[in-house]
Amino acid sequence: MIGYKYFMLHRLKAVSVTVKAEHACTVSVRACVDGADLALIRIDACEEWTQFTAAADAADGRSALYFIHHGKGSLCLKTFTLHDGAGLMEK
Protein backbone atom coordinates (compact mmCIF):
# COMPACT_ATOMS: atom_id res chain seq x y z
CA MET A 1 0.00 0.00 0.00
CA ILE A 2 1.06 3.53 -0.75
CA GLY A 3 -0.86 6.71 -0.03
CA TYR A 4 -0.72 10.26 -1.33
CA LYS A 5 -2.24 13.41 0.19
CA TYR A 6 -4.09 15.47 -1.05
CA PHE A 7 -5.82 15.85 -4.42
CA MET A 8 -8.67 18.09 -5.48
CA LEU A 9 -10.84 15.63 -7.38
CA HIS A 10 -13.30 16.94 -9.94
CA ARG A 11 -15.29 14.61 -12.21
CA LEU A 12 -12.85 11.70 -11.74
CA LYS A 13 -13.75 9.10 -14.38
CA ALA A 14 -10.72 6.78 -14.53
CA VAL A 15 -7.37 5.99 -12.91
CA SER A 16 -4.33 4.59 -14.76
CA VAL A 17 -1.21 3.05 -13.25
CA THR A 18 2.07 2.22 -14.95
CA VAL A 19 3.56 -0.84 -13.27
CA LYS A 20 5.75 -3.94 -13.45
CA ALA A 21 4.11 -7.01 -11.86
CA GLU A 22 5.43 -10.50 -11.13
CA HIS A 23 1.91 -11.97 -11.15
CA ALA A 24 -1.59 -10.99 -12.22
CA CYS A 25 -3.21 -8.99 -9.41
CA THR A 26 -5.52 -6.09 -8.66
CA VAL A 27 -4.93 -2.60 -7.29
CA SER A 28 -7.65 -0.92 -5.25
CA VAL A 29 -7.72 2.87 -5.30
CA ARG A 30 -9.37 4.29 -2.18
CA ALA A 31 -9.87 7.60 -0.40
CA CYS A 32 -9.44 5.84 2.99
CA VAL A 33 -7.32 2.77 3.70
CA ASP A 34 -10.35 0.78 4.91
CA GLY A 35 -12.91 2.55 2.68
CA ALA A 36 -14.72 1.52 -0.47
CA ASP A 37 -12.87 1.18 -3.78
CA LEU A 38 -12.98 4.26 -6.00
CA ALA A 39 -11.43 2.12 -8.74
CA LEU A 40 -10.35 -1.51 -9.05
CA ILE A 41 -7.55 -1.93 -11.59
CA ARG A 42 -6.85 -5.41 -12.96
CA ILE A 43 -3.15 -5.97 -13.62
CA ASP A 44 -1.61 -8.66 -15.85
CA ALA A 45 1.86 -10.01 -15.10
CA CYS A 46 4.38 -7.84 -16.99
CA GLU A 47 8.16 -7.51 -16.98
CA GLU A 48 8.14 -4.15 -18.81
CA TRP A 49 6.48 -0.93 -17.65
CA THR A 50 2.84 -1.31 -18.69
CA GLN A 51 -0.17 0.96 -18.20
CA PHE A 52 -3.51 -0.36 -16.92
CA THR A 53 -6.68 1.70 -16.52
CA ALA A 54 -10.02 1.28 -14.75
CA ALA A 55 -13.16 3.37 -14.43
CA ALA A 56 -13.40 5.38 -11.22
CA ASP A 57 -16.22 6.85 -9.19
CA ALA A 58 -15.34 9.46 -6.57
CA ALA A 59 -17.02 12.43 -5.00
CA ASP A 60 -15.68 15.84 -6.01
CA GLY A 61 -13.48 17.50 -3.41
CA ARG A 62 -10.22 17.16 -1.50
CA SER A 63 -9.14 13.57 -0.96
CA ALA A 64 -6.19 11.35 -0.20
CA LEU A 65 -5.60 8.42 -2.56
CA TYR A 66 -4.36 5.01 -1.44
CA PHE A 67 -3.19 2.35 -3.89
CA ILE A 68 -3.52 -1.13 -2.36
CA HIS A 69 -2.01 -4.22 -4.02
CA HIS A 70 -4.00 -7.48 -3.79
CA GLY A 71 -2.21 -10.59 -4.98
CA LYS A 72 1.01 -12.57 -4.90
CA GLY A 73 4.49 -11.30 -5.59
CA SER A 74 5.68 -7.76 -5.92
CA LEU A 75 4.30 -4.81 -7.82
CA CYS A 76 6.41 -1.78 -8.80
CA LEU A 77 4.45 1.44 -9.32
CA LYS A 78 6.09 3.98 -11.65
CA THR A 79 3.29 6.50 -12.21
CA PHE A 80 -0.42 7.03 -11.84
CA THR A 81 -2.75 9.29 -13.81
CA LEU A 82 -6.15 10.68 -12.89
CA HIS A 83 -8.60 11.17 -15.76
CA ASP A 84 -11.69 13.36 -15.85
CA GLY A 85 -14.32 13.26 -18.59
CA ALA A 86 -12.11 15.34 -20.91
CA GLY A 87 -8.86 13.36 -20.47
CA LEU A 88 -6.19 14.18 -17.90
CA MET A 89 -7.32 15.87 -14.70
CA GLU A 90 -6.06 19.43 -14.25
CA LYS A 91 -3.69 19.81 -11.31
Side-chain angles (χ1 to χ4, degrees), residues 12-33:
L12 181 65
K13 299 295 181 198
V15 178
S16 297
V17 292
T18 301
V19 298
K20 290 182 184 178
E22 290 182 346
H23 300 280
C25 60
T26 58
V27 172
S28 296
V29 183
R30 300 177 180 170
C32 301
V33 173

Side-chain angles (χ1 to χ4, degrees), residues 16-63:
S16 297
V17 292
T18 301
V19 298
K20 290 182 184 178
E22 290 182 346
H23 300 280
C25 60
T26 58
V27 172
S28 296
V29 183
R30 300 177 180 170
C32 301
V33 173
D34 57 354
D37 292 343
L38 304 177
L40 185 62
I41 307 170
R42 299 192 190 288
I43 308 292
D44 296 325
C46 52
E47 295 179 6
E48 301 296 323
W49 292 113
T50 306
Q51 185 179 66
F52 298 92
T53 303
D57 184 23
D60 289 352
R62 184 174 179 248
S63 179

